[in-house]
Amino acid sequence: MSDELPLAALTATALTEGVRFLYEQAGALLARRRERAAEADSPTPPVVAEPHELPAADPVLVERFEVALRGLRADLHEYACGVDPVTPADRDLLVRVDALRRVLEAIHGTSLLFAGEPDESGGQGERGEQGGPGESAVVRGRVEIEEVAGYVAAVRAEQATGTIEGHVRAKRVGQGGEVIGVDLGTERPRR
């Protein structure tokens, strides 16, 4: 596994726009939490290749990740405001941006891919039309977990259509634990 972060492939302009997007999203989530306001799906800016629309945040996860949101947002403040330069060569910055992205992905229940960033298949994120006639669905799931004592799957679906990718990284799988990248089918054995 490479130590290279996919964000390093972005141009300085795209990375700057990405930092601003993540910073603003974190601030909006914290403000809505404080106001106890409901959230609807919202369109993403052109710098975000996927998704085109950000699903509503899970309020339970916003509360759970509040400290991380505040800390990572504070870490990116000087970059988002244009005080410090944003460069793809700044590994510390990339680690912080990636950490905030992962928190937002968990809260919104979807992956965030920036335009020009390599995706997991080795291609690059491009913003295009989605959901046109004849296009197949793309489903990606990722789980990173310390320990599995029961069942975990990155993707579980009753039927397979389109492209399905599931990635699971578990440090420990306990006795009776089950780790599956993609679980397809209607019947599961009951224990």
Side-chain angles (χ1 to χ4, degrees), residues 61-118:
L61 293 177
V62 173
E63 185 171 339
R64 181 179 301 157
F65 288 113
E66 180 180 4
V67 171
L69 280 171
R70 287 182 183 281
L72 291 166
R73 186 172 187 272
D75 289 348
L76 296 177
H77 177 77
E78 300 300 317
Y79 296 101
C81 294
V83 173
D84 291 340
V86 173
T87 63
D90 184 343
R91 179 151 176 82
D92 185 52
L93 170 63
L94 297 181
V95 168
R96 291 167 196 256
V97 171
D98 192 55
L100 181 55
R101 173 173 51 185
R102 287 177 184 264
V103 170
L104 290 172
E105 287 174 337
I107 289 171
H108 287 283
T110 190
S111 296
L112 292 166
L113 180 69
F114 291 115
E117 180 180 19

Side-chain angles (χ1 to χ4, degrees), residues 156-173:
R156 173 145 166 65
E158 300 302 315
Q159 298 178 354
T161 59
T163 302
I164 301 174
E165 298 175 13
H167 304 274
V168 179
R169 182 182 302 165
K171 289 190 177 177
R172 289 178 303 282
V173 179

Side-chain angles (χ1 to χ4, degrees), residues 28-39 59-60 62-63 66:
L29 286 173
L30 292 167
R32 278 193 295 275
R33 182 181 180 284
R34 182 187 66 238
E35 297 162 0
R36 305 276 188 236
E39 178 189 12
V60 172
V62 173
E63 185 171 339
E66 180 180 4

